[in-house]
Amino acid sequence: MNDPVIERLSGALEAAEQSTGHFDDLYADAVRLAIVTRLLCLRFECKRNTEVDEPQLPKWRLKRVTEYISSRYMHSITLTDLASVAGLSRMHFAGQFRLATGFRPHEFVLRHRIERSRQLLAETEESVVNVALSVGFMSQAHFTTVFKRYVGDTPHRWRCRADHARW
């Protein structure tokens, strides 16, 4: 096996074994552990790559979940709620949902709320706090933080730019 990480760790182990310092034996043991861990990781990755892919959430279940999110985004939505709609356990649902969409369920819900808030900010004169509350955020501060993370700007600045671009 030709792995650059193992080669570097082997060099470090050789240097540690030749040293006579106070903690060199402890250091050598730690490097040995790192080498064993790296070998196990490499073996696991190889085995995992040859296994059949984990099943994704079937399209009909995904459709039920996304329709549920679309109709209830303004309310609190829990993982338990979504799993129940899909007819799966929470953890089974969460894994399959992420494989199907590329997002964790909570992140998917947040993205849906942000998209709806962008529509409201662009199409209405509602205040930012009213938009935040209407799409399911508990406070304007949380809404602003999440909006900025996903859109790259605060809701107010984004609305100003959207208004300016329209004219």
Side-chain angles (χ1 to χ4, degrees), residues 13 24-34:
L13 178 59
D24 289 331
D25 288 338
L26 182 61
Y27 176 70
D29 286 342
V31 174
R32 284 186 199 99
L33 181 61

Side-chain angles (χ1 to χ4, degrees), residues 72-145:
R72 296 202 30 96
Y73 66 88
M74 68 291 291
H75 304 290
S76 175
I77 299 175
T78 66
L79 180 60
T80 302
D81 296 335
L82 297 176
S84 177
V85 168
L88 299 169
S89 70
R90 287 179 23 213
M91 299 318 289
H92 195 123
F93 166 75
Q96 285 190 358
F97 186 86
R98 186 169 187 169
L99 287 171
T101 65
F103 300 107
R104 294 182 324 265
H106 179 70
E107 184 179 1
F108 189 89
V109 170
L110 286 178
R111 286 179 178 275
H112 187 83
R113 287 178 174 158
I114 293 301
E115 281 308 308
R116 181 65 183 132
S117 70
R118 288 173 71 172
Q119 289 174 344
L120 292 172
L121 289 168
E123 297 170 2
T124 70
E125 295 298 319
E126 286 289 323
S127 68
V128 172
V129 68
N130 284 343
V131 169
L133 296 175
S134 71
V135 298
F137 287 93
M138 295 299 175
S139 71
Q140 181 180 346
H142 184 226
F143 170 63
T144 299
T145 300

Side-chain angles (χ1 to χ4, degrees), residues 20-105:
T20 57
H22 189 63
F23 293 105
D24 289 331
D25 288 338
L26 182 61
Y27 176 70
D29 286 342
V31 174
R32 284 186 199 99
L33 181 61
I35 290 172
V36 169
T37 303
R38 177 67 179 174
L39 288 169
L40 289 172
C41 287
L42 290 172
R43 183 168 185 214
F44 175 74
E45 287 176 10
C46 292
K47 183 179 176 187
R48 203 172 94 195
N49 289 339
T50 60
E51 290 176 0
V52 177
D53 289 339
E54 295 178 41
Q56 292 183 10
L57 192 63
K59 291 183 192 284
W60 67 271
R61 289 184 197 256
L62 180 61
K63 183 179 179 194
R64 284 175 57 182
V65 171
T66 55
E67 287 174 352
Y68 180 83
I69 292 169
S70 294
S71 68
R72 296 202 30 96
Y73 66 88
M74 68 291 291
H75 304 290
S76 175
I77 299 175
T78 66
L79 180 60
T80 302
D81 296 335
L82 297 176
S84 177
V85 168
L88 299 169
S89 70
R90 287 179 23 213
M91 299 318 289
H92 195 123
F93 166 75
Q96 285 190 358
F97 186 86
R98 186 169 187 169
L99 287 171
T101 65
F103 300 107
R104 294 182 324 265

